[in-house]
Amino acid sequence: MDGATWESAEEDRAAAPYGTAGSGARRAAGRLAGLLLLAPTAVAACRAADTDGVTPVPQLLAFLPWLLVPAGAALLLALPARSRFLAGWAVAVLAVTGWFVRPYDTGLTEKPPGPVVARLDVLTSNVEFGQATGALVDTLRREQPDIVFVQECDHACAGTLEAEVPRADYPYRHVVADFSAAGSAILSKHPLRPAPGVDSALAMPGAVVDVAGRGVGLQLAHPLPPVPDAVDDWRRELGLLRDHAARTKGTPTVMAGDFNAGQDHAAFRRILRAGGLSDGATLAGAARTPSWPAAVSRPLGTQIDHVLVSDDFSVRRARFLDLPDTDHRSLLVELELHDVR
């Protein structure tokens, strides 16, 4: 073997381990990119198909914007993996997800026809098994909302509301006291009369409130959460709220509470479509302000507490309030009721 041939062979042997290592790193990056894309792909596909799919898709849909993180990481890994397929896959998932998490038109400039006949401030608050009832009482004293929807109001919560919220402030009440998370309450400064609610595991009472001589339908929302073994029940109870919204379409309506669902859930969007309703926070430009879990800092979390209104209303402002001792932020929406007759 001459000197040149010997030198070339030595170089090939020296380079071989590094070439093998580089190829292995690329394969590892490609495998990791593929794994990172699996969940975002399934969730984005269901969002595009207007369906909530099966576990874990309903749970992940609540956090759709955060799926941009693993999809973006997959794109970064696809580059050193030198895989056009993976890069294209990641870009497609990012594009679809980004389309659905883009900011919506607030609609604040779209006033209903007809003059304003009343202002109505609506508060919804999940007090987590009654634990935050004291904080809710303080909030009512400070904010003085006209209508209050309370979820997870147990017997102790009902007793506290009766003892510490003066009848002079809220003379009209529809309270369904029950154990743990099953109880609910509607408090009002304006006259209430009974109305059919929604039959569900957790109380979802209804009422009609008289505001400036007009009857406004009220419906408290608190369907079961989409835990893995109860997704069918969650879907069914959201369907009952959709049916109620369809029955009351065309009349002044406020539906508020802990929906255990958000704008990326097909079952929630069907409620909006069936009743011709709009999300108050969305109209106020706060579509993705998180309301749960309150323990994490914004912008982490998801928005599952809502105030939905018919097109008789316009929205002046929406605020999410932090109350101690509950895993939900309360939502206060300032409305104007228009005469659209």
Side-chain angles (χ1 to χ4, degrees), residues 34-336:
L35 289 172
L36 287 172
L37 284 170
L38 290 178
T41 299
V43 175
C46 286
R47 181 64 176 87
D50 197 28
T51 180
D52 292 321
V54 299
T55 297
V57 173
Q59 296 83 3
L60 291 175
L61 275 167
F63 302 95
L64 182 67
W66 300 106
L67 294 180
L68 291 168
V69 175
L75 177 59
L76 294 178
L77 287 167
L79 300 179
R82 300 179 187 176
S83 171
R84 293 183 180 179
F85 170 76
L86 287 172
W89 181 6
V91 168
V93 172
L94 287 168
V96 172
T97 306
W99 171 260
F100 287 115
V101 303
R102 74 194 190 284
Y104 292 110
D105 177 16
T106 65
L108 282 174
T109 60
E110 300 171 8
K111 297 290 186 181
V116 175
V117 296
R119 287 188 169 184
L120 196 68
D121 293 350
V122 175
L123 177 75
T124 178
S125 182
N126 182 320
V127 293
E128 193 179 7
F129 313 130
Q131 296 174 151
T133 307
L136 173 63
V137 171
D138 293 339
T139 300
L140 298 185
R141 291 173 180 155
R142 182 178 67 253
E143 301 291 346
Q144 289 291 308
D146 297 282
I147 308 291
V148 184
F149 294 83
V150 189
Q151 304 90 57
E152 301 196 15
C153 186
D154 62 359
H155 292 286
C157 165
T160 299
L161 293 178
E162 180 62 32
E164 298 188 22
V165 178
R167 285 277 175 175
D169 291 342
Y170 292 94
Y172 308 101
R173 308 179 183 204
H174 185 0
V175 180
V176 183
D178 209 330
F179 294 99
S180 189
S184 295
I186 300 174
L187 310 183
S188 174
K189 293 179 177 292
H190 302 275
L192 286 178
R193 63 178 185 269
V198 173
D199 187 19
S200 56
L202 309 177
M204 294 199 281
V208 176
V209 62
D210 184 3
V211 180
R214 303 198 64 191
V216 176
L218 304 179
Q219 177 58 55
L220 185 144
H222 194 201
L224 289 166
V227 295
D229 59 350
V231 168
D232 289 343
D233 294 326
W234 167 78
R235 206 187 314 269
R236 178 181 58 80
E237 292 194 348
L238 285 169
L240 293 174
L241 287 170
R242 177 201 62 215
D243 295 343
H244 176 85
R247 288 193 298 271
T248 58
K249 186 176 183 177
T251 62
T253 300
V254 176
M255 182 182 291
D258 170 12
F259 284 77
N260 278 309
Q263 64 189 38
D264 294 308
H265 288 110
F268 178 76
R269 295 192 300 275
R270 289 180 188 123
I271 295 172
L272 300 177
R273 291 196 295 265
L277 303 175
S278 299
D279 190 305
T282 298
L283 292 178
R288 293 198 178 273
T289 301
S291 65
W292 179 88
V296 301
S297 301
R298 305 180 195 185
L300 300 176
T302 183
Q303 186 182 124
I304 58 175
D305 299 86
H306 308 274
V307 173
L308 310 184
V309 296
S310 61
D311 59 9
D312 306 81
F313 292 93
S314 59
V315 176
R316 292 184 292 122
R317 187 166 62 152
R319 288 184 287 145
F320 288 86
L321 311 177
D322 288 290
L323 273 63
D325 303 319
T326 175
D327 56 346
H328 287 253
R329 293 183 177 93
S330 298
L331 171 60
L332 178 61
V333 179
E334 300 172 18
L335 304 171
E336 290 180 337

